Amino acid sequence: MSLGILRSRAISLASKRFLCTNAASASPPLPPPPSAASPSRWSFLKYALVGALTGGTVFAGYASYAYSLDEIEQKTRSLRESAKYTAGDGVTALDKFQGLLYSTAMTVPAKAVELYLDARRVIEEQVKSYTEPYTDKLLPDLLPQEQHVFTLVLDLNETLIHYIWTRDTGWQTFKRPGVDAFLEHLAQFYEIVVYTDEQNMFVDPVIERLDTKHCIRYRLSRPATKYQDGKHFRDLSKLNRNPGKVLYLSGHALESCLQPENCLPIKAWQQQDIDDTALLDFIPFLEFVARSSPPDIRPVLASYQGCDIPSEFIRRSKEHQRRMQEQKNRGRFWK
Amino acid sequence: MAYQTPDQDSGSDPKTPTRLYNPYKDLEVPIRNLYQLPTSPEYLFVEEARRKRRSWGENLTFYTGCGYLSGAVGGAASGLVGGVKSFESGDTAKLRVNRVLNSSGHAGRAWGNRLGVIGLLYAGIESGIEATRDTDDVWNSVAAGLGTGALYRAARGVRSAAVAGAVGGVVVGVAVTAKQALKRYVPI
């Protein structure tokens, strides 16, 4: 009975459609509808799409500027989770339909956010290969019998050498006074490393000429530095050494190092300062540090903060000798 | 340590004047390490120290380029003046622009080539004289100027070459003297 009713209803619908078709073909053709509505609709859709893309681009730019990758990933976790809807048991058909509709509506923003996160992750990893040191262990491991040895990290420009360019004579590179004696004397006590922000092709010939007695063990150049805020910083934590036994000597020590507690500021040298003796003046202090071998050099350097280290060291040595002399005199008086 | 070398004076160049310096002089310790310090800037690369002036190739490029450029600019300026003077009453703007451009281009190119050739000859002759005499002073420049003038006018006859040589020598002598006076009295 029900099937018969359905069948008859379908037949009636088909015949009605057929009759309508016949009526349309029989009557004279109507003029085409006015085409003023079509351009307005397409124009509206185009402007809406352009507006959406512009808004998305502006928002992505602001997010790139204001937030880091992890922050965006954390903030948009709930949004991306809402796109995955799983119907639980006991849910009515209406609630299931609503949930499905909501997850469908949220799929496009979630996909857009995931696309943005993937693109940004790829770009940041690409940039990091330029800005970070090329490895987390810039130096090989220390030998077991040299675990007590301090590491002396030296800068190159305006610390050991200075180079200028003049129109008359082109490039000229000058050695700081006393640099040969400095390297030769301190190679007995220290592991000497040159860590500079110059390129490899500049560092290698300079050190070959500067270090004819092979006092410098390792040379690190610009790929080993950390590029941050438009400058190349030395990251002493990547040297694979005990951070309490690393000394960084540079003419621009505090503004070119990420660990200022290990820095030894020295006066920046240029070639017209021919009476400079700063390198040789550091030899007594550095020799004393190597001989006394403190377990951590950082509090020692913190006590010298803001002072000219060689002259302050000499002053403290004199005061120490005077105090020892007073104790000796007091002992003699007591006897 | 791996480098147990005895501490001794650094092996500096014996020709370099040095002075002795003791960083321990304020410390009453028995260690006495005297270091030799140079009293003039010490070069790292020997070839940079040996180089005192431009090489002959750089000199050639420098003088030829400066000569051509100054000649081109000066010639273009004089051509501009000549073009403006040769305007006629019935000329249109297009004709006037064309006249100015033709005159400037022609005079600039002619004078640029002329001074470029003079610069080339001067640099070549000066480098040759310096290589021959193995010294660098004012007389090299004056002789180069004289040779340049003579060679430039050689095709026009002996008398013209002699006059041009004399003019060249005098001009270069004046230029070198002015340069030395400028370097001495004008703080740069």
Side-chain angles (χ1 to χ4, degrees):
Chain A
M1 286 300 290
S2 62
L3 289 177
I5 291 170
L6 284 176
R7 186 174 296 148
S8 63
R9 187 177 294 172
I11 290 168
S12 64
L13 282 175
S15 61
K16 188 178 293 181
R17 185 173 298 171
F18 182 74
L19 289 174
C20 290
T21 308
N22 283 336
S25 64
S27 66
L30 293 173
S35 62
S38 297
S40 67
R41 275 180 287 156
W42 282 115
S43 176
F44 175 75
L45 184 62
K46 184 167 61 179
Y47 285 133
L49 191 65
V50 168
L53 285 179
T54 304
T57 305
V58 169
F59 189 74
Y62 173 72
S64 301
Y65 173 73
Y67 301 107
S68 67
L69 186 67
D70 295 334
E71 287 172 358
I72 294 176
E73 198 160 6
Q74 185 180 351
K75 285 175 188 293
T76 56
R77 191 182 301 275
S78 61
L79 176 69
R80 288 184 283 114
E81 287 293 332
S82 66
K84 308 184 186 70
Y85 177 77
T86 56
D89 292 336
V91 179
T92 62
L94 186 61
D95 290 340
K96 187 181 296 182
F97 180 71
Q98 281 184 349
L100 188 64
L101 194 65
Y102 181 73
S103 67
T104 304
M106 280 298 156
T107 300
V108 170
K111 290 296 181 185
V113 168
E114 284 180 4
L115 184 67
Y116 166 77
L117 288 175
D118 288 341
R120 183 167 169 175
R121 190 175 293 111
V122 167
I123 291 175
E124 284 195 354
E125 284 180 1
Q126 194 73 24
V127 168
K128 193 171 290 186
S129 66
Y130 289 102
T131 57
E132 292 289 327
Y134 52 83
T135 177
D136 281 344
K137 285 189 167 185
L138 294 169
L139 301 177
D141 293 331
L142 268 173
L143 298 175
Q145 66 266 23
E146 286 182 340
Q147 292 296 320
H148 66 285
V149 170
F150 277 77
T151 302
L152 181 61
V153 182
L154 300 172
D155 197 4
L156 204 57
N157 189 27
E158 294 193 350
T159 302
L160 301 181
I161 62 165
H162 179 66
Y163 56 88
I164 58 171
W165 187 89
T166 57
R167 197 174 57 81
D168 291 331
T169 56
W171 286 108
Q172 288 176 305
T173 310
F174 299 95
K175 293 161 65 176
R176 190 169 193 158
V179 66
D180 292 330
F182 179 83
L183 292 174
E184 189 179 349
H185 188 79
L186 292 180
Q188 308 172 43
F189 308 103
Y190 285 89
E191 178 196 34
I192 297 182
V193 178
V194 163
Y195 196 171
T196 177
D197 54 357
E198 307 287 345
Q199 297 282 3
N200 270 325
M201 61 191 75
F202 174 78
V203 171
D204 289 338
V206 162
I207 291 182
E208 281 168 14
R209 293 300 185 105
L210 186 70
D211 186 29
T212 52
K213 293 172 177 167
H214 300 284
C215 304
I216 295 170
R217 289 200 192 182
Y218 306 108
R219 51 185 86 153
L220 303 171
S221 52
R222 182 173 288 186
T225 58
K226 182 185 175 66
Y227 185 73
Q228 178 176 300
D229 299 332
K231 287 173 60 179
H232 292 275
F233 287 92
R234 287 99 170 124
D235 195 351
L236 304 180
S237 65
K238 298 282 197 332
L239 287 179
N240 192 28
R241 293 287 183 267
N242 181 6
K245 289 186 177 297
V246 174
L247 293 156
Y248 173 58
L249 184 81
S250 173
H252 311 279
L254 297 176
E255 62 259 18
S256 67
C257 184
L258 292 180
Q259 288 83 18
E261 61 272 9
N262 291 90
C263 291
L264 290 170
I266 195 175
K267 188 165 67 70
W269 178 75
Q270 297 190 357
Q271 84 282 358
Q272 61 261 15
D273 188 9
I274 58 176
D275 294 328
D276 178 80
T277 59
L279 270 186
L280 294 182
D281 288 336
F282 257 97
I283 291 179
F285 171 75
L286 290 171
E287 188 177 338
F288 178 78
V289 164
R291 291 185 188 279
S292 58
S293 189
D296 194 336
I297 193 63
R298 287 173 287 191
V300 177
L301 296 183
S303 70
Y304 280 94
Q305 190 175 355
C307 307
D308 181 42
I309 294 175
S311 56
E312 180 67 18
F313 172 71
I314 289 172
R315 191 187 68 79
R316 291 185 186 186
S317 297
K318 286 182 171 179
E319 187 169 340
H320 180 69
Q321 287 176 0
R322 188 176 54 80
R323 198 177 299 126
M324 294 296 288
Q325 197 69 29
E326 284 180 355
Q327 282 188 3
K328 191 180 296 183
N329 290 337
R330 191 181 304 115
R332 188 181 299 115
F333 177 78
W334 178 259
K335 287 175 184 179
Chain B
M1 293 291 291
Y3 303 99
Q4 290 292 336
T5 57
D7 189 33
Q8 58 189 359
D9 295 335
S10 64
S12 63
D13 196 354
K15 293 184 292 184
T16 307
T18 57
R19 61 189 175 94
L20 295 178
Y21 181 75
N22 181 16
Y24 296 89
K25 66 180 184 298
D26 289 325
L27 293 169
E28 301 169 3
V29 292
I31 303 171
R32 287 286 177 243
N33 283 318
L34 291 179
Y35 298 104
Q36 290 183 349
L37 288 179
T39 54
S40 63
E42 191 178 1
Y43 283 89
L44 181 64
F45 296 102
V46 182
E47 51 270 20
E48 283 182 1
R50 204 181 297 127
R51 166 202 180 113
K52 292 299 178 187
R53 65 195 307 275
R54 286 189 291 267
S55 66
W56 68 272
E58 289 172 351
N59 227 9
L60 208 69
T61 312
F62 179 69
Y63 280 114
T64 307
C66 285
Y68 184 85
L69 187 65
S70 57
V73 170
S78 71
L80 180 70
V81 171
V84 169
K85 282 182 179 177
S86 65
F87 283 171
E88 293 178 359
S89 61
D91 285 344
T92 60
K94 186 179 289 187
L95 279 175
R96 288 184 174 181
V97 168
N98 190 59
R99 197 184 298 274
V100 164
L101 287 179
N102 277 344
S103 185
S104 297
H106 180 74
R109 190 162 39 249
W111 275 101
N113 285 333
R114 201 169 295 156
L115 266 68
V117 166
I118 290 175
L120 187 74
L121 292 175
Y122 177 80
I125 294 173
E126 190 187 22
S127 298
I129 291 174
E130 183 182 347
T132 304
R133 294 184 64 206
D134 200 20
T135 183
D136 182 16
D137 56 1
V138 177
W139 301 112
N140 281 355
S141 302
V142 173
L146 194 147
T148 300
L151 198 60
Y152 186 70
R153 294 293 193 188
R156 299 195 183 187
V158 175
R159 182 175 300 173
S160 181
V163 170
V167 169
V170 168
V171 166
V172 170
V174 168
V176 170
T177 307
K179 180 184 175 184
Q180 293 192 353
L182 192 75
K183 199 176 288 185
R184 183 177 301 167
Y185 296 117
V186 177
I188 295 176

